[in-house]
Amino acid sequence: MKNRIISLTVAFVMFLSLTIALPSGKTLSKNGSGKWVPINNGLYGGDVLSIAIMADNGAIYAGIDGVYKSDNGGIYWRRIGLSNEGVLSVAINPKNPNVIYVGTDKDGIFESTDGGAYWNDTENNGLTNSYTTVYSIAIDFSNTQIVYAGTDEGIYKTTDGGAHWSITENSLSGRKIRSIAIDPLDSRILYAGTEQNGIYKSIDKGIHWHSINNGLTAEHICSIVINRSDPKTIYIGTFCGVFKSTDSGAIWHGENSGLTNKNVNVIAMDPDNSDIIYAGTDKGIFKSADGGASWHSEGSALSDLKTHCITIDPKSTNIVYAGTETGIFKSTDSGKSWNKTSNGILYQPIQGIAINPENPQVVYAGTWRNVFKSNDCGLHWNLIKTVICGVYCVTVDPVSTNIVYVGTQMGILKSTDSGKSWKEESIGEGVSNIAFDPVNPGTIYASSYGSGIYKSTDSGKHWHQTSSGIGKTANVWAFLINPKNPNIIYAGTWGKGVFKSTDGGMHWYEANNGIKRKFVTSLAIDSANPNVIYAGTDSGIYKSTNAGASWRKSNDGLTNKNVNTVTIDPSDTQIIYAGTNRGVFQSTDYGMHWHSFNNGLYGYAINTVAIDPKDHNVIYAGTYGGMIFKYVYPDTNPLIKITLQPNNPYMTVNGVKQEIDPGRGTKPVIIPKWSRTVVPIRAIVEALGGTISWDGKERKVTINFNDTVINLWIDNPKAKVNGETKWIDPNNHDVKPIIVNSRTMLPLRFVAENLGCKVDWDNATRTITITYPAP
């Protein structure tokens, strides 16, 4: 069996490049010569606050962290501008769809006159506050130069397309205007929904306003919809349900039969059938088919999600888009079923990354509203939990690695089956860190933002507060345990520096000499010398060499002092990484000097950094903008081991599972007439660091690796190696490259051994093993 010849295939199309995890324990020169690579496949979503559809060509705009656009019905989105702005409202000029207005959460109004290619940030002339929050925008259909903006200061109006703005009547000044609607038949008539004062009406284009709250029991008006064919009929969404008026707002009455959640954030009406109304609530979407007389929940996929906005396609009203706290959903059957359509939207901040210590292919990522899981070192992500209350951290139990903890605003979520199911544990608000006793992992600590510190001695079944000396309402943002003496614990607080306990958290005292009143975001301890501790703060890195007795700044070369996370390389503790608001910085001398470590990272704000527990040459970084990047230190002479099996579309590269033919599912198969196994070879050659090219005219494959060039031709049993002609299989001249299912079949042993590899076959497990360099 040793002499059995194994054959492989070469794909005509270029395969996806592979990320190779290096063997555990390899020593490299960590000089930053590699590059950060984004790994975001499946990691899509965000808090979508507004959606608008361009009527003439169907382009869709969404307001999230900036403006996103889709030209293919939501299949894919791309950000087109204002990446640092929270966009609350989007309005498209009905007569010139290239003109778009957006309202932001802190910087007023922006305008684009070219469909979003460029945004004018000077459209705030007349706004009294440069930090104005703009909740809603309405464009006058009869004169599109007239635009109204509902803000946290009242209603602003422009009559020259945004060049100048002025605030309307003082009776609305200072009120938060959440929604504005214009009568579709008479643009002199406007309605304005406020946050605490009900609804107002103007009959003179906003010059004067008067309250119209007769019958209205709600003060917070989120949304207003007017019947296009009968403008006397108006619906409003409030925090007390849906209200309806049939006399232009003179009298209101509730329309809430079947509406089980009355926090109605948005109302939308079918433009072709005014009896069909959608209500987006804090718990999904409800629909009425009888003008609001009765409601029913629509679409189980959204039942637990807060819906911010609903937009109906004006050309095909069975198509509905919903903006939720986790992304955009689309229905093509008038709301009966929904599918998430958020590809390309990366917004939710990456709050934490946790790697399974036994199987580092498994990686968890906590975003502000979701928990994702990857089973292939971050190449693909799957949503495993939506967290309504917000995520702060993710941690894997170091012993029972099927147990995963997620710290949230409301407490802890715990899974005992690797994320398939979850149980809530309410121990206090804002759980920022979860840490395990290194000697007794059944002892767990949870620091919280607002409730001090909690401790469990029975693997999380029961918790008790242990905050004596630090305070039961302390804002603890960073936490670590001495790896050699678990009774010694450190806590980093928000504005009060560092605290220390020497009795397992029973009592705490200040360890603040040199760091008092600092906002401590992260703590890291040198595992080789636990007296050395690093603290990331809002003013840079502080270092203690005496177990927290005193601290000094350690910022030389750290050009951005807003440090969000500090991580020490466990295999070489002189190497430290600092995640800042302008990317990652690295120190290779115990924090004495720092340099930028941002090749490929583009200076994104970094919330979290995690190092592979088995291969310390692999690093993950999570950004505030919702992206995860991966860094693998290059090795000039790596030991590479590749394994394959017949009828298995995956191979492993140094233990990391990879698709042989990504996206096609091609499996190694046995050619009966040769008794040979064939698989695609491109992935193997590229995993070794080589390249493959195809000459369609000559039907020739060329493989380049180091100083070796191999040429093979279809249906030719001979090949050339560095110009020398050789039989592919000296013992069987029938073996030659052939095409099967658009794949070129090549003999593995011939190729691999001529590239300096060793090829082994294990008949018991039916496994092929390729080792480079050959031992």
Side-chain angles (χ1 to χ4, degrees):
M1 193 61 64
K2 254 185 160 180
N3 295 324
R4 182 175 183 174
I5 297 176
I6 312 296
S7 302
L8 300 176
T9 68
V10 173
F12 287 142
V13 297
M14 291 293 291
F15 287 2
L16 297 174
S17 62
L18 300 175
T19 301
I20 303 171
L22 299 176
S24 177
K26 284 193 71 64
T27 301
L28 300 179
S29 175
K30 295 194 174 179
N31 56 14
S33 59
K35 184 177 182 179
W36 292 95
V37 177
I39 49 170
N40 301 307
N41 188 10
L43 199 70
Y44 298 125
D47 216 3
V48 181
L49 302 174
S50 54
I51 300 174
I53 299 178
M54 189 179 289
D56 66 335
N57 65 6
I60 314 169
Y61 297 86
I64 312 172
D65 66 320
V67 181
Y68 285 77
K69 182 179 181 181
S70 174
D71 294 309
N72 54 11
I75 295 173
Y76 185 80
W77 299 82
R78 70 185 192 280
R79 185 156 48 192
I80 60 172
L82 308 181
S83 58
N84 293 319
E85 304 289 343
V87 175
L88 306 181
S89 52
V90 180
I92 301 172
N93 187 318
K95 295 183 178 179
N96 182 359
N98 284 320
V99 176
I100 308 167
Y101 298 90
V102 301
T104 70
D105 62 352
K106 61 182 179 181
D107 287 322
I109 303 165
F110 290 79
E111 181 190 24
S112 174
T113 58
D114 53 12
Y118 175 78
W119 294 91
N120 186 345
D121 62 356
T122 63
E123 298 302 309
N124 293 319
N125 186 12
L127 270 64
T128 57
N129 187 342
S130 60
Y131 299 101
T132 298
T133 299
V134 181
Y135 301 108
S136 55
I137 297 175
I139 302 173
D140 188 325
F141 61 88
S142 65
N143 179 0
T144 56
Q145 289 293 298
I146 298 175
V147 185
Y148 302 89
T151 77
D152 57 350
E153 302 168 351
I155 294 181
Y156 283 87
K157 178 180 179 180
T158 178
T159 58
D160 54 12
H164 304 86
W165 296 87
S166 60
I167 200 158
T168 62
E169 188 190 59
N170 289 332
S171 63
L172 290 182
S173 296
R175 303 192 190 282
K176 294 182 179 180
I177 310 300
R178 290 286 183 172
S179 52
I180 302 174
I182 302 173
D183 187 306
L185 299 183
D186 186 348
S187 64
R188 296 172 299 175
I189 301 174
L190 289 81
Y191 298 88
T194 71
E195 186 167 295
Q196 294 180 328
N197 303 98
I199 189 166
Y200 285 75
K201 181 177 181 179
S202 172
I203 58 173
D204 55 10
K205 288 184 176 287
I207 297 174
H208 303 93
W209 296 86
H210 62 278
S211 174
I212 52 167
N213 290 326
N214 189 11
L216 193 62
T217 59
E219 296 179 339
H220 192 127
I221 313 300
C222 302
S223 180
I224 305 170
V225 170
I226 304 172
N227 188 324
R228 295 184 181 182
S229 58
D230 179 16
K232 291 182 179 180
T233 301
I234 311 168
Y235 297 85
I236 57 175
T238 78
F239 281 176
C240 296
V242 175
F243 288 81
K244 178 180 181 180
S245 173
T246 56
D247 52 13
S248 302
I251 299 176
W252 298 91
H253 54 274
E255 294 281 5
N256 296 313
S257 177
L259 193 67
T260 56
N261 189 284
K262 293 186 172 58
N263 285 340
V264 179
N265 305 305
V266 61
I267 296 282
M269 180 182 291
D270 188 317
D272 293 339
N273 185 345
S274 59
D275 284 333
I276 296 177
I277 308 165
Y278 300 86
T281 75
D282 283 358
K283 292 290 184 180
I285 291 178
F286 291 78
K287 181 179 178 180
S288 173
D290 51 14
S294 62
W295 298 86
H296 61 274
S297 180
E298 195 77 343
S300 59
L302 306 182
S303 59
D304 289 328
L305 298 181
K306 184 176 183 178
T307 301
H308 297 295
C309 55
I310 299 172
T311 301
I312 302 171
D313 191 317
K315 290 186 176 181
S316 181
T317 58
N318 61 310
I319 298 176
V320 187
Y321 296 89
T324 76
E325 60 192 337
T326 68
I328 297 175
F329 287 78
K330 179 180 180 180
S331 173
T332 57
D333 54 10
S334 302
K336 293 178 183 177
S337 60
W338 298 85
N339 292 301
K340 195 170 186 180
T341 176
S342 298
N343 285 348
I345 295 175
L346 294 163
Y347 165 59
Q348 300 183 80
I350 308 298
Q351 301 290 95
I353 297 173
I355 305 169
N356 186 315
E358 289 185 354
N359 180 10
Q361 294 185 57
V362 177
V363 187
Y364 299 89
T367 72
W368 184 237
R369 296 291 187 186
N370 295 318
V371 181
F372 292 87
K373 180 181 179 180
S374 172
N375 292 310
D376 54 10
C377 302
L379 292 180
H380 303 88
W381 297 91
N382 295 299
L383 176 66
I384 59 172
K385 179 65 177 176
T386 294
V387 183
I388 304 303
C389 53
V391 171
Y392 284 130
C393 65
V394 183
T395 308
V396 179
D397 189 303
V399 177
S400 301
T401 57
N402 58 312
I403 299 177
V404 185
Y405 295 87
V406 175
T408 77
Q409 283 182 313
M410 300 304 294
I412 290 177
L413 288 170
K414 180 180 179 180
S415 173
T416 58
D417 53 12
S418 302
K420 294 177 183 177
S421 61
W422 298 85
K423 178 184 177 183
E424 293 184 9
E425 297 184 8
S426 297
I427 67 168
E429 60 187 38
V431 175
S432 55
N433 279 278
I434 299 170
F436 295 85
D437 185 314
V439 176
N440 180 14
T443 297
I444 312 172
Y445 295 87
S447 64
S448 76
Y449 191 76
S451 299
I453 296 169
Y454 288 80
K455 182 177 182 177
S456 171
T457 57
D458 56 7
S459 299
K461 294 183 178 67
H462 303 90
W463 296 84
H464 64 275
Q465 201 171 33
T466 177
S467 302
S468 178
I470 197 172
K472 292 185 177 181
T473 60
N475 295 323
V476 182
W477 200 249
F479 193 88
L480 65 80
I481 302 173
N482 185 313
K484 296 184 178 180
N485 183 353
N487 285 319
I488 299 175
I489 313 171
Y490 301 87
T493 68
W494 202 243
K496 294 185 178 180
V498 176
F499 285 72
K500 180 178 179 179
S501 172
T502 57
D503 55 9
M506 292 178 62
H507 303 90
W508 295 86
Y509 61 90
E510 290 187 15
N512 276 334
N513 185 11
I515 201 172
K516 197 168 186 177
R517 292 189 294 275
K518 295 299 179 182
F519 294 86
V520 180
T521 58
S522 180
L523 291 169
I525 192 166
D526 188 324
S527 59
N529 181 6
N531 286 323
V532 176
I533 312 164
Y534 301 87
T537 76
D538 60 337
S539 55
I541 302 281
Y542 286 77
K543 180 179 179 179
S544 173
T545 56
N546 51 16
S550 61
W551 300 82
R552 60 178 175 81
K553 285 186 177 180
S554 184
N555 290 335
D556 187 16
L558 196 67
T559 57
N560 188 278
K561 305 297 193 298
N562 290 306
V563 178
N564 303 313
T565 184
V566 180
T567 304
I568 301 174
D569 187 326
S571 62
D572 186 352
T573 59
Q574 66 181 328
I575 299 174
I576 313 165
Y577 303 93
T580 76
N581 282 359
R582 289 293 182 270
V584 174
F585 288 79
Q586 183 197 54
S587 172
T588 56
D589 56 8
Y590 299 102
M592 292 178 62
H593 306 90
W594 297 87
H595 58 268
S596 177
F597 193 73
N598 285 324
N599 186 19
L601 201 55
Y602 313 114
Y604 285 112
I606 304 299
N607 280 349
T608 182
V609 173
I611 299 175
D612 188 311
K614 288 194 173 182
D615 184 355
H616 304 146
N617 303 306
V618 178
I619 312 169
Y620 297 85
T623 75
Y624 180 80
M627 300 179 72
I628 294 179
F629 287 80
K630 184 176 181 179
Y631 189 98
V632 179
Y633 278 99
D635 191 356
T636 56
N637 187 26
L639 174 66
I640 301 174
K641 185 171 287 188
I642 303 170
T643 64
L644 315 95
Q645 292 177 312
N647 298 315
N648 187 338
Y650 292 90
M651 66 181 187
T652 67
V653 181
N654 289 334
V656 178
K657 192 176 182 180
Q658 316 269 5
E659 275 192 275
I660 296 172
D661 192 353
R664 296 177 178 267
T666 305
K667 303 175 183 178
V669 295
I670 295 175
I671 304 296
K673 65 179 181 179
W674 294 345
S675 297
R676 302 292 186 257
T677 302
V678 295
V679 297
I681 199 172
R682 178 177 294 279
I684 295 165
V685 171
E686 290 183 349
L688 295 172
T691 62
I692 288 182
S693 61
W694 168 255
D695 186 330
K697 184 176 181 179
E698 289 191 45
R699 291 161 59 84
K700 178 180 72 173
V701 175
T702 300
I703 299 171
N704 283 273
F705 178 61
N706 291 338
D707 297 326
T708 302
V709 178
I710 303 175
N711 298 119
L712 306 101
W713 290 263
I714 299 299
D715 295 326
N716 189 337
K718 294 182 179 181
K720 286 188 176 181
V721 180
N722 291 335
E724 180 184 352
T725 301
K726 295 184 177 182
W727 288 101
I728 291 174
D729 185 348
N731 300 317
N732 186 347
H733 293 179
D734 290 332
V735 176
K736 55 195 173 187
I738 61 171
I739 295 175
V740 177
N741 295 330
S742 299
R743 292 293 185 267
T744 299
M745 314 306 246
L746 299 181
L748 168 63
R749 189 174 298 277
F750 175 82
V751 173
E753 291 184 350
N754 277 284
L755 294 179
C757 301
K758 182 173 182 285
V759 180
D760 294 307
W761 167 259
D762 186 331
N763 193 44
T765 61
R766 297 178 62 78
T767 300
I768 306 160
T769 300
I770 307 163
T771 305
Y772 177 85

mmCIF file of all heavy atoms in Angstrom, residues 51-53 228 267-273 276-278 310-322:
data_model
loop_
_atom_site.group_PDB
_atom_site.id
_atom_site.type_symbol
_atom_site.label_atom_id
_atom_site.label_comp_id
_atom_site.label_asym_id
_atom_site.label_seq_id
_atom_site.Cartn_x
_atom_site.Cartn_y
_atom_site.Cartn_z
ATOM 1 N N ILE A 51 -35.060 53.390 6.650
ATOM 2 C CA ILE A 51 -34.936 52.815 5.313
ATOM 3 C C ILE A 51 -35.770 53.642 4.354
ATOM 4 O O ILE A 51 -36.905 54.015 4.675
ATOM 5 C CB ILE A 51 -35.425 51.347 5.270
ATOM 6 C CG1 ILE A 51 -34.619 50.464 6.227
ATOM 7 C CG2 ILE A 51 -35.330 50.782 3.853
ATOM 8 C CD1 ILE A 51 -35.147 49.044 6.335
ATOM 9 N N ALA A 52 -35.220 53.938 3.189
ATOM 10 C CA ALA A 52 -35.959 54.658 2.153
ATOM 11 C C ALA A 52 -35.676 54.016 0.809
ATOM 12 O O ALA A 52 -34.549 53.585 0.532
ATOM 13 C CB ALA A 52 -35.572 56.136 2.128
ATOM 14 N N ILE A 53 -36.702 53.944 -0.044
ATOM 15 C CA ILE A 53 -36.571 53.325 -1.365
ATOM 16 C C ILE A 53 -36.737 54.393 -2.436
ATOM 17 O O ILE A 53 -37.680 55.194 -2.402
ATOM 18 C CB ILE A 53 -37.615 52.220 -1.568
ATOM 19 C CG1 ILE A 53 -37.427 51.110 -0.529
ATOM 20 C CG2 ILE A 53 -37.526 51.635 -2.979
ATOM 21 C CD1 ILE A 53 -38.452 50.002 -0.619
ATOM 22 N N ARG A 228 -53.442 58.148 1.984
ATOM 23 C CA ARG A 228 -53.246 58.977 0.789
ATOM 24 C C ARG A 228 -54.552 59.319 0.085
ATOM 25 O O ARG A 228 -54.708 60.407 -0.455
ATOM 26 C CB ARG A 228 -52.308 58.269 -0.186
ATOM 27 C CG ARG A 228 -50.901 58.098 0.331
ATOM 28 C CD ARG A 228 -50.005 57.469 -0.723
ATOM 29 N NE ARG A 228 -48.641 57.269 -0.248
ATOM 30 C CZ ARG A 228 -47.652 56.775 -0.981
ATOM 31 N NH1 ARG A 228 -47.911 56.413 -2.245
ATOM 32 N NH2 ARG A 228 -46.453 56.639 -0.486
ATOM 33 N N ILE A 267 -45.238 53.010 12.087
ATOM 34 C CA ILE A 267 -46.456 52.612 11.379
ATOM 35 C C ILE A 267 -46.185 52.741 9.887
ATOM 36 O O ILE A 267 -45.560 53.706 9.436
ATOM 37 C CB ILE A 267 -47.647 53.517 11.755
ATOM 38 C CG1 ILE A 267 -47.996 53.355 13.231
ATOM 39 C CG2 ILE A 267 -48.857 53.202 10.891
ATOM 40 C CD1 ILE A 267 -48.779 52.128 13.559
ATOM 41 N N ALA A 268 -46.643 51.759 9.096
ATOM 42 C CA ALA A 268 -46.523 51.834 7.638
ATOM 43 C C ALA A 268 -47.827 51.364 7.011
ATOM 44 O O ALA A 268 -48.443 50.403 7.481
ATOM 45 C CB ALA A 268 -45.361 50.980 7.146
ATOM 46 N N MET A 269 -48.236 52.043 5.942
ATOM 47 C CA MET A 269 -49.488 51.718 5.260
ATOM 48 C C MET A 269 -49.208 51.261 3.835
ATOM 49 O O MET A 269 -48.403 51.865 3.115
ATOM 50 C CB MET A 269 -50.415 52.943 5.236
ATOM 51 C CG MET A 269 -51.753 52.719 4.546
ATOM 52 S SD MET A 269 -52.756 54.225 4.506
ATOM 53 C CE MET A 269 -53.153 54.396 6.247
ATOM 54 N N ASP A 270 -49.866 50.194 3.419
ATOM 55 C CA ASP A 270 -49.747 49.700 2.052
ATOM 56 C C ASP A 270 -50.255 50.785 1.099
ATOM 57 O O ASP A 270 -51.413 51.212 1.194
ATOM 58 C CB ASP A 270 -50.569 48.422 1.892
ATOM 59 C CG ASP A 270 -50.343 47.737 0.561
ATOM 60 O OD1 ASP A 270 -50.300 48.429 -0.479
ATOM 61 O OD2 ASP A 270 -50.238 46.498 0.545
ATOM 62 N N PRO A 271 -49.450 51.266 0.161
ATOM 63 C CA PRO A 271 -49.889 52.356 -0.730
ATOM 64 C C PRO A 271 -51.010 51.953 -1.684
ATOM 65 O O PRO A 271 -51.710 52.819 -2.205
ATOM 66 C CB PRO A 271 -48.620 52.727 -1.499
ATOM 67 C CG PRO A 271 -47.733 51.537 -1.389
ATOM 68 C CD PRO A 271 -48.041 50.899 -0.077
ATOM 69 N N ASP A 272 -51.206 50.648 -1.887
ATOM 70 C CA ASP A 272 -52.268 50.189 -2.779
ATOM 71 C C ASP A 272 -53.539 49.787 -2.044
ATOM 72 O O ASP A 272 -54.590 49.609 -2.673
ATOM 73 C CB ASP A 272 -51.779 48.982 -3.611
ATOM 74 C CG ASP A 272 -50.683 49.360 -4.584
ATOM 75 O OD1 ASP A 272 -50.568 50.559 -4.910
ATOM 76 O OD2 ASP A 272 -49.927 48.457 -5.002
ATOM 77 N N ASN A 273 -53.441 49.600 -0.739
ATOM 78 C CA ASN A 273 -54.600 49.166 0.044
ATOM 79 C C ASN A 273 -54.489 49.772 1.432
ATOM 80 O O ASN A 273 -53.758 49.272 2.287
ATOM 81 C CB ASN A 273 -54.649 47.637 0.128
ATOM 82 C CG ASN A 273 -55.895 47.126 0.830
ATOM 83 O OD1 ASN A 273 -56.610 47.888 1.497
ATOM 84 N ND2 ASN A 273 -56.167 45.833 0.704
ATOM 85 N N ILE A 276 -54.519 47.885 4.863
ATOM 86 C CA ILE A 276 -53.392 47.073 5.316
ATOM 87 C C ILE A 276 -52.353 47.983 5.976
ATOM 88 O O ILE A 276 -51.809 48.895 5.347
ATOM 89 C CB ILE A 276 -52.756 46.303 4.150
ATOM 90 C CG1 ILE A 276 -53.762 45.307 3.569
ATOM 91 C CG2 ILE A 276 -51.496 45.583 4.607
ATOM 92 C CD1 ILE A 276 -53.254 44.554 2.371
ATOM 93 N N ILE A 277 -52.126 47.733 7.251
ATOM 94 C CA ILE A 277 -51.218 48.568 8.033
ATOM 95 C C ILE A 277 -50.263 47.661 8.801
ATOM 96 O O ILE A 277 -50.648 46.606 9.307
ATOM 97 C CB ILE A 277 -51.989 49.464 9.015
ATOM 98 C CG1 ILE A 277 -53.090 50.232 8.278
ATOM 99 C CG2 ILE A 277 -51.053 50.448 9.704
ATOM 100 C CD1 ILE A 277 -54.100 50.842 9.198
ATOM 101 N N TYR A 278 -49.008 48.088 8.884
ATOM 102 C CA TYR A 278 -47.999 47.382 9.656
ATOM 103 C C TYR A 278 -47.598 48.240 10.851
ATOM 104 O O TYR A 278 -47.475 49.469 10.743
ATOM 105 C CB TYR A 278 -46.760 47.095 8.809
ATOM 106 C CG TYR A 278 -47.016 46.241 7.594
ATOM 107 C CD1 TYR A 278 -47.427 46.808 6.388
ATOM 108 C CD2 TYR A 278 -46.830 44.863 7.630
ATOM 109 C CE1 TYR A 278 -47.665 46.036 5.264
ATOM 110 C CE2 TYR A 278 -47.055 44.074 6.504
ATOM 111 C CZ TYR A 278 -47.467 44.668 5.330
ATOM 112 O OH TYR A 278 -47.693 43.895 4.220
ATOM 113 N N ILE A 310 -40.170 50.503 9.010
ATOM 114 C CA ILE A 310 -40.781 49.619 8.019
ATOM 115 C C ILE A 310 -40.965 50.420 6.739
ATOM 116 O O ILE A 310 -41.475 51.546 6.764
ATOM 117 C CB ILE A 310 -42.148 49.086 8.494
ATOM 118 C CG1 ILE A 310 -41.994 48.277 9.788
ATOM 119 C CG2 ILE A 310 -42.799 48.228 7.414
ATOM 120 C CD1 ILE A 310 -43.317 47.879 10.408
ATOM 121 N N THR A 311 -40.546 49.847 5.614
ATOM 122 C CA THR A 311 -40.694 50.508 4.324
ATOM 123 C C THR A 311 -41.257 49.518 3.314
ATOM 124 O O THR A 311 -40.769 48.389 3.214
ATOM 125 C CB THR A 311 -39.347 51.059 3.818
ATOM 126 O OG1 THR A 311 -38.847 51.993 4.772
ATOM 127 C CG2 THR A 311 -39.511 51.756 2.481
ATOM 128 N N ILE A 312 -42.270 49.941 2.578
ATOM 129 C CA ILE A 312 -42.930 49.101 1.586
ATOM 130 C C ILE A 312 -42.472 49.527 0.194
ATOM 131 O O ILE A 312 -42.442 50.721 -0.120
ATOM 132 C CB ILE A 312 -44.455 49.218 1.711
ATOM 133 C CG1 ILE A 312 -44.898 48.813 3.125
ATOM 134 C CG2 ILE A 312 -45.163 48.354 0.669
ATOM 135 C CD1 ILE A 312 -46.354 49.110 3.413
ATOM 136 N N ASP A 313 -42.129 48.546 -0.631
ATOM 137 C CA ASP A 313 -41.696 48.841 -2.000
ATOM 138 C C ASP A 313 -42.869 49.462 -2.753
ATOM 139 O O ASP A 313 -43.928 48.835 -2.888
ATOM 140 C CB ASP A 313 -41.244 47.559 -2.689
ATOM 141 C CG ASP A 313 -40.542 47.814 -4.007
ATOM 142 O OD1 ASP A 313 -41.031 48.667 -4.783
ATOM 143 O OD2 ASP A 313 -39.541 47.149 -4.283
ATOM 144 N N PRO A 314 -42.731 50.691 -3.271
ATOM 145 C CA PRO A 314 -43.867 51.355 -3.925
ATOM 146 C C PRO A 314 -44.300 50.700 -5.227
ATOM 147 O O PRO A 314 -45.442 50.865 -5.662
ATOM 148 C CB PRO A 314 -43.348 52.780 -4.172
ATOM 149 C CG PRO A 314 -41.863 52.640 -4.210
ATOM 150 C CD PRO A 314 -41.533 51.546 -3.241
ATOM 151 N N LYS A 315 -43.397 49.921 -5.856
ATOM 152 C CA LYS A 315 -43.737 49.271 -7.122
ATOM 153 C C LYS A 315 -44.268 47.851 -6.927
ATOM 154 O O LYS A 315 -44.931 47.319 -7.816
ATOM 155 C CB LYS A 315 -42.509 49.241 -8.035
ATOM 156 C CG LYS A 315 -42.111 50.623 -8.557
ATOM 157 C CD LYS A 315 -40.974 50.495 -9.561
ATOM 158 C CE LYS A 315 -40.628 51.845 -10.170
ATOM 159 N NZ LYS A 315 -39.534 51.744 -11.160
ATOM 160 N N SER A 316 -43.953 47.254 -5.804
ATOM 161 C CA SER A 316 -44.400 45.889 -5.525
ATOM 162 C C SER A 316 -44.688 45.808 -4.036
ATOM 163 O O SER A 316 -43.812 45.488 -3.236
ATOM 164 C CB SER A 316 -43.323 44.870 -5.933
ATOM 165 O OG SER A 316 -43.753 43.554 -5.685
ATOM 166 N N THR A 317 -45.923 46.079 -3.659
ATOM 167 C CA THR A 317 -46.243 46.289 -2.249
ATOM 168 C C THR A 317 -46.241 45.007 -1.418
ATOM 169 O O THR A 317 -46.396 45.068 -0.205
ATOM 170 C CB THR A 317 -47.605 46.986 -2.114
ATOM 171 O OG1 THR A 317 -48.610 46.189 -2.766
ATOM 172 C CG2 THR A 317 -47.570 48.355 -2.754
ATOM 173 N N ASN A 318 -46.071 43.860 -2.050
ATOM 174 C CA ASN A 318 -45.898 42.635 -1.266
ATOM 175 C C ASN A 318 -44.484 42.532 -0.709
ATOM 176 O O ASN A 318 -44.197 41.693 0.146
ATOM 177 C CB ASN A 318 -46.210 41.398 -2.115
ATOM 178 C CG ASN A 318 -45.272 41.284 -3.312
ATOM 179 O OD1 ASN A 318 -45.095 42.250 -4.047
ATOM 180 N ND2 ASN A 318 -44.678 40.121 -3.513
ATOM 181 N N ILE A 319 -43.585 43.402 -1.194
ATOM 182 C CA ILE A 319 -42.208 43.442 -0.692
ATOM 183 C C ILE A 319 -42.117 44.488 0.407
ATOM 184 O O ILE A 319 -42.426 45.668 0.184
ATOM 185 C CB ILE A 319 -41.207 43.749 -1.810
ATOM 186 C CG1 ILE A 319 -41.247 42.637 -2.868
ATOM 187 C CG2 ILE A 319 -39.802 43.902 -1.247
ATOM 188 C CD1 ILE A 319 -40.360 42.891 -4.064
ATOM 189 N N VAL A 320 -41.709 44.049 1.587
ATOM 190 C CA VAL A 320 -41.630 44.922 2.751
ATOM 191 C C VAL A 320 -40.256 44.756 3.388
ATOM 192 O O VAL A 320 -39.749 43.636 3.523
ATOM 193 C CB VAL A 320 -42.726 44.578 3.781
ATOM 194 C CG1 VAL A 320 -42.744 45.605 4.902
ATOM 195 C CG2 VAL A 320 -44.087 44.494 3.115
ATOM 196 N N TYR A 321 -39.652 45.864 3.783
ATOM 197 C CA TYR A 321 -38.369 45.850 4.479
ATOM 198 C C TYR A 321 -38.570 46.331 5.915
ATOM 199 O O TYR A 321 -39.313 47.289 6.166
ATOM 200 C CB TYR A 321 -37.355 46.759 3.784
ATOM 201 C CG TYR A 321 -36.996 46.317 2.380
ATOM 202 C CD1 TYR A 321 -37.738 46.758 1.285
ATOM 203 C CD2 TYR A 321 -35.929 45.454 2.153
ATOM 204 C CE1 TYR A 321 -37.430 46.345 -0.008
ATOM 205 C CE2 TYR A 321 -35.610 45.040 0.865
ATOM 206 C CZ TYR A 321 -36.356 45.491 -0.204
ATOM 207 O OH TYR A 321 -36.047 45.080 -1.476
ATOM 208 N N ALA A 322 -37.905 45.663 6.848
ATOM 209 C CA ALA A 322 -37.983 46.039 8.249
ATOM 210 C C ALA A 322 -36.584 46.269 8.790
ATOM 211 O O ALA A 322 -35.709 45.407 8.655
ATOM 212 C CB ALA A 322 -38.690 44.952 9.058
#
